Amino acid sequence: MPSTDGSSTYLLLDDGSFYLAPTGLSGRAVEGNWTNSDSNRFEITGIWGWENGISSINDKRKMTIFIYLRSMDTEISELLWRSADSKLYDVYFTIEEITKIE
């Protein structure tokens, strides 16, 4: 389910993989896994970094988010990497917690 809050694109794959990337050329990036405990709450565990910038090595964190769907098929032309035939869900995110994992 590719989705965006306008500044980042969140990709939650059926196999439990998670990717966060900036909608522009630079910004926060996360690669990891997701679990879902109810319909809107997701726990993400992954390695945090920065796209086109300096990042800490092996920066592991857990993030808890709530995702609320705003639109089923929104055209967002600013995403440079997005293919013309892909669907992108317009969502509202509430980040409840970010915890560093030692």
Side-chain angles (χ1 to χ4, degrees), residues 41-96:
R41 184 176 191 256
F42 294 83
E43 289 190 358
I44 312 299
T45 304
I47 305 293
W48 289 53
W50 197 265
E51 191 73 33
N52 293 320
I54 297 172
S55 300
S56 298
I57 296 172
N58 204 27
D59 186 6
K60 294 182 184 176
R61 297 177 188 239
K62 180 180 115 179
M63 174 172 62
T64 303
I65 59 175
F66 283 81
I67 303 175
Y68 303 96
L69 189 62
R70 290 195 304 201
S71 173
M72 286 302 291
D73 189 19
T74 300
E75 290 295 322
I76 301 197
S77 59
E78 305 89 66
L79 299 180
L80 303 176
W81 55 267
R82 192 170 154 284
S83 67
D85 61 345
S86 67
K87 284 188 178 183
L88 181 68
Y89 296 98
D90 185 20
V91 298
Y92 179 78
F93 285 90
T94 302
I95 298 175
E96 296 293 316

Side-chain angles (χ1 to χ4, degrees), residues 1-3 9-13 17-21 34 81:
M1 173 181 81
S3 51
T9 299
Y10 298 72
L11 183 59
L12 295 95
L13 300 177
S17 299
F18 174 82
Y19 301 93
L20 181 144
W34 66 270
W81 55 267

